[in-house]
Amino acid sequence: MKLLVLSDSHGEAGRLSAALDAHPDALDVVFLGDGARDVETIEGAYPERRFYCVRGNCDFASFLPAEGLVPFGGMNFYYTHGHLHGVKTGLELLADQARQMGAQVALYGHTHRARMERWNSLVLFNPGSISSDRGSGSYGILTVEDGKLDAAFGVVD
């Protein structure tokens, strides 16, 4: 099972489409906030995809949830934007919440920096920002098979 993880598009819906078009076999898409309207703009063009979305700190007036939990390939994925967990200053609160939710993987955005690390049995994964605020945008490509996770980062110019 292939999963795309996108975050922080900040008005650049075309970059979301570019990532989706590059991975037609990824039917599940997690969007981690700060671009909820961008997802609304492109979602109809991809009826075969399942979108799991949360709001970020820049998604004003959004009714999306702040967090979610979804199983993929035998693993539970906790997903959130990260601003409510203070991810710019540390990942402890995020890790604690993910563990309390029963997750093996925590997906977060907000920092605009692609990053993956393991905290014992918990994987913390940030796809970075797909927007052009720092040049090329980045996103995550996760493959999950029988409880085994492989991760990579993609780039959109």
Side-chain angles (χ1 to χ4, degrees), residues 28-105:
D28 294 294
V29 180
V30 176
F31 183 75
L32 300 172
D34 281 1
R37 288 189 183 185
D38 301 334
V39 175
E40 291 172 8
T41 299
I42 64 146
E43 199 171 11
Y46 301 94
E48 73 285 1
R49 308 282 176 110
R50 289 175 294 274
F51 288 84
Y52 304 88
C53 304
V54 291
R55 71 178 181 273
N57 59 299
C58 294
D59 291 320
F60 308 109
S62 172
F63 293 106
L64 288 172
E67 63 183 0
L69 182 72
V70 64
F72 293 112
M75 301 178 83
N76 286 326
F77 286 72
Y78 171 72
Y79 58 103
T80 188
H81 185 62
H83 64 295
L84 299 175
H85 299 89
V87 297
K88 286 187 176 181
T89 58
L91 299 177
E92 293 82 6
L93 294 175
L94 173 71
D96 288 346
Q97 181 66 16
R99 286 187 185 110
Q100 287 177 16
M101 300 283 287
Q104 291 81 42
V105 181

Side-chain angles (χ1 to χ4, degrees), residues 7-8 32-33 80-83 87-88 107-113 125-128:
S7 190
D8 296 276
L32 300 172
T80 188
H81 185 62
H83 64 295
V87 297
K88 286 187 176 181
L107 305 176
Y108 69 101
H110 190 54
T111 67
H112 292 209
R113 298 190 189 286
F125 185 87
N126 186 330

